[in-house]
Amino acid sequence: MLRVEHLQKKFSFTVPRFTLKDIQFHLPKGYIMGLVGSNGCGKSTLIRTILGLYQMDAGKVYFDGKKMEVAEEEIKESLGVVLDQGLFEKRWSAKKNASVYGPLFRKYNEETFERYLKEFGVNPDIALKKLSKGNEIRFQLAFALSHDAKLFVFDEPAAGLDKEFRKELLEIMRNLVIDGKRSVLVATHIMEDLEQSADYITYMDKGQVLLSDDIEHIKDSFILVQAEEYKINLLPQQYVLYRKKGTYGTTALVAKDAEYALDGAYQKHRPTIEDLMYYYTKSERVDKMAWMRNYCGHHVQERGV
Amino acid sequence: MGTWLQDFRMFRKNLFTEHVKDAYGFLFFLIWFPTYFIGLFRNSNPDTVWDWSDMVLISVLIMFLLVTIMKHQLPQQVHLCPVSRTNRENYAKHVFWFRYIGAGILPIGSVLFMGLSGQIHPLETIVAIVTVAALDYVVNYTVYLRYLSVDISFLGVLHMIYVMVMMLEVFLITDLGSENHVNFVIPMIFEALIVATNIWGVIHFYRKYYRISVVAMAGYERAQLENTNRERSIKGRNSR
């Protein structure tokens, strides 16, 4: 559905300078991919570059095998975008925004749009700037649904919103992909939500893709080990990413390859994506990026997904 | 072609009018008119000297101008809609010419008026008109480029510097009727430096955009060819 190859984008005028380096990932049709990483790692920049809001310096973006540069118009027909700070005209109502931008889409259906607005409980006649953030997100979603988008791109849709709305949004995302014809790319730092819904994870750090794989494979590649400190020290250190001392022992994130060394004295847990991010961020290994890539397996496209 | 017209009508009906109402009107009435009248006032009172109140006025106008500039880009949502680069370019071209003529008409007109009425030397008149026209072109060309992308980290800065200089320039050019001709020389030097920097910027961006356009064009031609081939196959199949 969406394939990004060797994407590069350099911002020379930002302080400090920021670069998206050699971004590669593949989101298959019918799945949800979470784009995760700490603040400032480049998630939103990547999304904006993929969407063509920023001109990329190098690389290729394919949608259903079509290259963005060549078939931009056709691809954008199938894109539904929901951004944290929407790009619609804030002074206009949901209805007016839809009446201006909707007809630019061949498959736009006004009745569908109004039906979704009603379903989501959004007042169509109020200026967007007067809507709550949740309702603005709902409006963007209704608009995306009304032109029959195939790829939904969400950028921090639930940032700063309550749990109830986040649950509703997750439900919507899951329903979007249920027929296997649509895909969702969602950038977020709320790991809890992703654990429940995402099929794939693309983990970014400092403008680079650290991992891009299916969530189960990522989780299966590591073990969260709890034991007394001396036992953790006995483990082959090349497999240990980071250890955290606690009151009742030490917890460490180790590569699956270290499993042979884990006897009954070690408590083994399956790490969550949040655990992975935490241990990765805390790790002081100079080669942590290479370590993570090495032990996780490989990028999705290398596995032929 | 049909799509282009359809898109353009949409722009013209909605976005363009809203945009013009908001930004261009603001720029035109709040910036150029006061500038023009102040210039005329200066010309009719050659002995008047610039004082702090002029500076305050200039600062306020520049502030308004900066606010206006920030609005001067294609509504960003359009970049997420299925509007091809060619259509966006066509739209940007219309905006470009509208702004170019609109922004240039008053300063050029006033200088021409002063030249024809003998208030300033014919050579100075020609230099001033050419300068304003060139500056107007480059300023609006940067706006044109900004219409094609929301990536404004570089162009935005250039554009702001440019318009600020142009703003001062108009003040100084419309002050030409006074005896103080030194006002004309200083901005010319300053401007030459900035024009050189910006021409480099424009060439740099033009090359980048040109490359993309060429790629897009190649894709379009290929698609046309595929359509022709498909139609031929269908006709062939039907005839069999």
Side-chain angles (χ1 to χ4, degrees), chain A residues 42-290:
Chain A
K43 299 186 292 282
S44 295
T45 310
L46 174 59
I47 280 191
R48 285 179 160 249
T49 313
I50 290 172
L51 294 175
L53 292 171
Y54 295 151
Q55 300 277 335
M56 66 180 104
D57 298 330
K60 288 162 192 161
V61 174
Y62 294 96
F63 178 85
D64 261 354
K66 291 165 202 140
K67 203 171 164 187
M68 182 63 111
E69 278 177 27
V70 179
E72 185 185 353
E73 209 174 333
E74 198 183 334
I75 290 172
K76 285 187 175 170
E77 283 280 354
S78 307
L79 277 183
V81 183
V82 179
L83 302 175
D84 177 30
Q85 298 289 327
L87 300 180
F88 286 95
E89 203 61 48
K90 304 270 183 209
R91 295 164 303 131
W92 297 347
S93 65
K95 208 171 176 178
K96 176 149 190 202
N97 266 299
S99 71
V100 170
Y101 295 112
L104 296 175
F105 291 85
R106 253 176 278 162
K107 288 184 184 168
Y108 172 73
N109 186 317
E110 199 179 335
E111 280 171 24
T112 313
F113 172 71
E114 282 171 4
R115 183 163 51 81
Y116 276 115
L117 271 194
K118 205 172 174 184
E119 194 181 315
F120 295 153
V122 180
N123 187 333
D125 302 312
I126 290 181
L128 293 191
K129 63 182 174 188
K130 288 183 184 165
L131 290 179
S132 67
K133 196 187 162 193
N135 274 349
E136 200 194 322
I137 298 284
R138 287 184 185 99
F139 152 68
Q140 291 185 57
L141 195 57
F143 185 76
L145 288 163
S146 66
H147 61 81
D148 194 26
K150 292 284 176 272
L151 173 66
F152 288 77
V153 180
F154 292 81
D155 185 16
E156 298 285 1
L161 293 170
D162 57 63
K163 204 164 179 173
E164 214 166 288
F165 176 77
R166 279 162 42 205
K167 265 189 171 177
E168 181 192 331
L169 198 64
L170 286 179
E171 191 61 35
I172 292 170
M173 280 187 209
R174 276 194 292 257
N175 286 338
L176 283 175
V177 296
I178 213 156
D179 61 358
K181 288 177 185 165
R182 295 186 280 206
S183 303
V184 172
L185 175 67
V186 52
T188 182
H189 60 266
I190 305 171
M191 294 302 128
E192 192 189 335
D193 295 352
L194 280 184
E195 297 277 350
Q196 293 173 35
S197 55
D199 307 295
Y200 287 87
I201 291 287
T202 293
Y203 182 14
M204 289 185 71
D205 184 42
K206 293 175 190 154
Q208 291 183 66
V209 170
L210 188 62
L211 301 171
S212 186
D213 213 329
D214 71 81
I215 197 164
E216 301 305 322
H217 181 255
I218 292 176
K219 285 179 174 181
D220 285 345
S221 303
F222 305 98
I223 307 170
L224 204 57
V225 178
Q226 203 173 9
E228 286 182 53
E229 194 179 354
Y230 83 94
K231 288 292 282 180
I232 298 286
N233 289 340
L234 287 175
L235 290 172
Q237 291 308 299
Q238 75 268 26
Y239 297 130
V240 181
L241 179 65
Y242 179 72
R243 72 198 70 194
K244 186 175 78 172
K245 283 181 196 170
T247 323
Y248 304 105
T250 300
T251 313
L253 185 80
V254 301
K256 183 90 168 173
D257 295 19
E259 200 169 15
Y260 74 90
L262 304 175
D263 56 31
Y266 297 93
Q267 278 184 45
K268 295 184 277 182
H269 304 282
R270 200 169 185 240
T272 61
I273 296 298
E274 197 165 1
D275 291 329
L276 288 176
M277 279 185 69
Y278 174 79
Y279 283 86
Y280 176 80
T281 312
K282 286 281 179 187
S283 173
E284 285 165 0
R285 285 185 79 115
V286 282
D287 63 338
K288 64 179 178 180
M289 195 174 266

Side-chain angles (χ1 to χ4, degrees), chain A residues 9 53 55 73 76 91, chain B residues 22 79 84 150-151 154 212:
Chain A
K9 170 74 188 170
L53 292 171
Q55 300 277 335
E73 209 174 333
K76 285 187 175 170
R91 295 164 303 131
Chain B
D22 282 3
H79 293 279
S84 70
V150 296
D151 191 350
F154 181 59
I212 294 166

